[in-house]
Amino acid sequence: MNAKINKEDLHGEWVHSSEEDTPDETVFRPADYDFPLTRRPRETIELKADGKLVKGVATASDSVEEAQGNWELADNNKIAFNTESEPHQTLEIALINKDKLVIKK
């Protein structure tokens, strides 16, 4: 992705749309997207305007465990974040628009 990313476009709750994943990309949609039913809870990433992060991860018991942390836009095309369970993680953005966030694997 070569275009400059507007940080505000990332704000909000993004939900993993595993049905749309490819071998090279992971797809997230806004929380209000009309997702098909699934047996397992979906992973979520909430990117707040103040730099706070809430990451929801599905557990073996089919519940969602939330981790609090911080995030920032790095190198114009990466989301860098820290939580207690993941001290540092960087995700490269392939595409961002109001309906879709695509992360490179």
Side-chain angles (χ1 to χ4, degrees):
M1 173 170 236
N2 295 330
K4 184 170 175 145
I5 294 173
N6 182 352
K7 186 175 180 179
E8 287 76 31
D9 291 344
L10 295 167
H11 297 167
E13 185 175 3
W14 296 94
V15 180
H16 185 197
S17 184
S18 57
E19 301 84 358
E20 298 181 83
D21 286 354
T22 69
D24 300 324
E25 297 177 330
T26 302
V27 178
F28 290 84
R29 296 285 189 166
D32 62 357
Y33 182 77
D34 188 18
F35 291 97
L37 293 177
T38 182
R39 291 179 183 253
R40 290 194 44 110
R42 294 178 183 272
E43 176 183 350
T44 62
I45 300 173
E46 184 176 2
L47 304 172
K48 298 182 180 187
D50 65 359
K52 300 291 184 196
L53 162 83
V54 180
K55 185 173 183 191
V57 179
T59 67
S61 64
D62 288 339
S63 62
V64 175
E65 184 175 293
E66 289 189 345
Q68 308 286 323
N70 298 297
W71 76 279
E72 66 181 358
L73 183 61
D75 298 333
N76 187 50
N77 69 335
K78 295 180 178 136
I79 303 168
F81 62 88
N82 296 290
T83 65
E84 287 182 10
S85 59
E86 297 171 300
H88 180 74
Q89 187 173 15
T90 302
L91 306 174
E92 187 174 349
I93 300 166
L95 171 78
I96 177 69
N97 61 42
K98 66 181 180 112
D99 297 319
K100 194 180 215 182
L101 170 62
V102 181
I103 303 296
K104 292 184 182 180
K105 289 184 181 177

